[in-house]
């Protein structure tokens, strides 16, 4: 049994006050329903983490960050460590998002270091993998995913892998309104699970949660979640609005797995 996980990646949106408002409104909206079947995670910008942590205190909604640096402290201007994210109240951290790979030089090696740093501090890394349009059109999707998984997970033990979440986010579906079809998502999720089966064995492969990300909306969450290897969603744009994000959480919790 894998518990559904719905995470909101707020990207570089929301000032502190806006983030507090959004978290408060989501808290109020989700309080009205029973979302016990779903892990819900909010990932605001660094500057809003502490305040959002305060809003979420004593709720079942968890806090996550959008990135992490692998050293605990030091002369690394602009970076934030796992120690500091833990201190701010985080339980999760997104690692290797395609926007970081694309615009900030993230590689499978740095992703691997960041996963290890997150685990060291008891943070659950949400490990993002996914091909871009050119890679998909040249039939290299599985090759790219395999490189992301194998490189990112180098030297990660089975015991540690159990404390992670994988997010499949096809780059061509992010922020484009062009969602992968449920069949396309399932195909890659199954490929990832089969790969993990080869690397870590049956039991672990069946336990690990794989989220889908890329233009997830209230209108498409149910059909995505209905696929056997889709265990949740990493939501960008639709996580910035109370109505759409709470509706995604509710609809995901209604899909019987
Ligand atoms: P969108 O939901 O806006 O396509 O973003 C997906 C994403 O990148 C989540 O990490």
């Amino acid at each position: 049994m894998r518990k559904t996980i719905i995470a909101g990646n707020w990207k570089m949106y929301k000032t502190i006050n806006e983030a507090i408002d959004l978290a408060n409104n989501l808290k109020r909206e989700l309080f009205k329903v029973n979302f016990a079947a779903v892990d819900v995670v909010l990932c605001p910008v660094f500057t809003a983490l502490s305040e959002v942590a305060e809003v979420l205190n004593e709720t079942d909604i968890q806090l996550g960050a959008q990135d992490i640096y692998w050293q605990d402290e030091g002369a690394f201007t602009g970076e934030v460590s796992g120690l500091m994210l833990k201190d701010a109240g985080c339980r999760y951290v997104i690692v290797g998002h395609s926007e970081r790979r694309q615009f900030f030089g993230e590689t499978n090696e740095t992703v691997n270091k960041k996963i290890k740093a997150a685990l060291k501090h008891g943070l659950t890394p949400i490990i993002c993998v996914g091909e871009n349009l050119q890679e998909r059109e040249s039939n290299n999707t599985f090759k790219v995913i395999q490189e992301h998984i194998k490189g990112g997970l180098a030297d990660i033990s089975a015991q540690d892998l159990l404390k992670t979440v994988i997010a499949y986010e096809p780059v061509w579906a992010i922020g484009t309104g062009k969602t992968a079809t449920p069949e396309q998502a399932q195909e890659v999720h199954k490929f990832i699970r089969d790969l993990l089966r080869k690397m870590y064995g049956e039991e672990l492969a069946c336990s690990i949660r794989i989220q889908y990300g890329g233009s997830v909306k209230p209108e498409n969450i149910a059909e995505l979640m209905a696929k056997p290897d889709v265990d949740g969603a990493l939501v960008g744009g639709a996580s910035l609005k109370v109505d759409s994000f709470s509706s995604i959480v509710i609809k995901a919790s209604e899909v019987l797995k």
Side-chain angles (χ1 to χ4, degrees):
M1 251 313 257
R2 297 184 293 268
K3 189 173 181 188
T4 298
I5 174 166
I6 303 290
N9 174 8
W10 292 1
K11 305 195 179 182
M12 200 176 73
Y13 291 98
K14 309 285 176 194
T15 60
I16 294 173
N17 280 335
E18 289 167 349
I20 293 172
D21 272 358
L22 178 56
N24 262 321
N25 291 334
L26 280 171
K27 182 167 101 171
R28 203 168 306 127
E29 205 54 38
L30 291 177
F31 186 71
K32 297 181 200 158
V33 296
N34 177 7
F35 67 96
V38 179
D39 281 337
V40 179
V41 185
L42 306 183
C43 304
V45 293
F46 286 135
T47 49
L49 285 173
S50 300
E51 282 81 359
V52 173
E54 220 162 284
V55 174
L56 302 183
N57 192 23
E58 292 181 10
T59 73
D60 289 326
I61 307 172
Q62 303 294 335
L63 186 71
Q66 298 175 20
D67 193 18
I68 179 175
Y69 191 61
W70 54 82
Q71 300 281 357
D72 288 352
E73 60 176 17
F76 302 105
T77 303
E79 295 296 324
V80 180
S81 74
L83 185 74
M84 292 156 186
L85 297 180
K86 212 44 213 246
D87 189 42
C90 292
R91 287 265 307 270
Y92 289 80
V93 58
I94 298 170
V95 176
H97 191 279
S98 65
E99 284 148 17
R100 298 224 54 89
R101 293 180 192 257
Q102 201 178 340
F103 305 126
F104 303 101
E106 195 85 85
T107 64
N108 292 328
E109 290 72 42
T110 57
V111 169
N112 180 249
K113 288 182 181 178
K114 291 179 177 191
I115 294 170
K116 288 174 181 161
L119 291 165
K120 175 181 159 194
H121 290 287
L123 294 160
T124 299
I126 296 177
I127 305 162
C128 300
V129 301
E131 81 288 359
N132 62 32
L133 186 61
Q134 187 235 323
E135 289 160 344
R136 173 160 282 263
E137 287 180 341
S138 56
N139 286 325
N140 281 316
T141 297
F142 294 143
K143 178 173 170 279
V144 171
I145 301 292
Q146 178 155 328
E147 282 165 7
H148 285 179
I149 293 281
K150 287 204 163 165
L153 297 181
D155 307 319
I156 304 285
S157 69
Q159 206 184 2
D160 273 344
L161 193 74
L162 277 174
K163 300 173 197 151
T164 72
V165 173
I166 311 268
Y168 168 55
E169 297 207 305
V171 180
W172 49 271
I174 295 178
T176 57
K178 193 177 165 193
T179 326
T181 63
E183 290 69 31
Q184 283 172 320
Q186 168 61 21
E187 184 185 34
V188 179
H189 282 230
K190 183 175 182 306
F191 174 81
I192 295 170
R193 205 177 300 287
D194 287 344
L195 185 58
L196 293 174
R197 189 173 282 119
K198 281 187 217 140
M199 292 166 69
Y200 291 96
E202 177 70 21
E203 200 180 327
L204 187 137
C206 288
S207 310
I208 195 108
R209 295 183 292 181
I210 308 174
Q211 298 175 293
Y212 168 78
S215 299
V216 173
K217 307 180 210 60
E219 295 76 35
N220 57 28
I221 184 68
E223 56 182 22
L224 287 160
M225 284 300 306
K227 293 294 176 190
D229 289 296
V230 177
D231 306 315
L234 182 54
V235 187
S239 73
L240 296 170
K241 295 190 201 90
V242 182
D243 290 356
S244 49
F245 191 68
S246 49
S247 165
I248 288 169
V249 171
I250 293 163
K251 289 187 174 174
S253 70
E254 287 166 357
V255 178
L256 297 175
K257 300 294 271 187

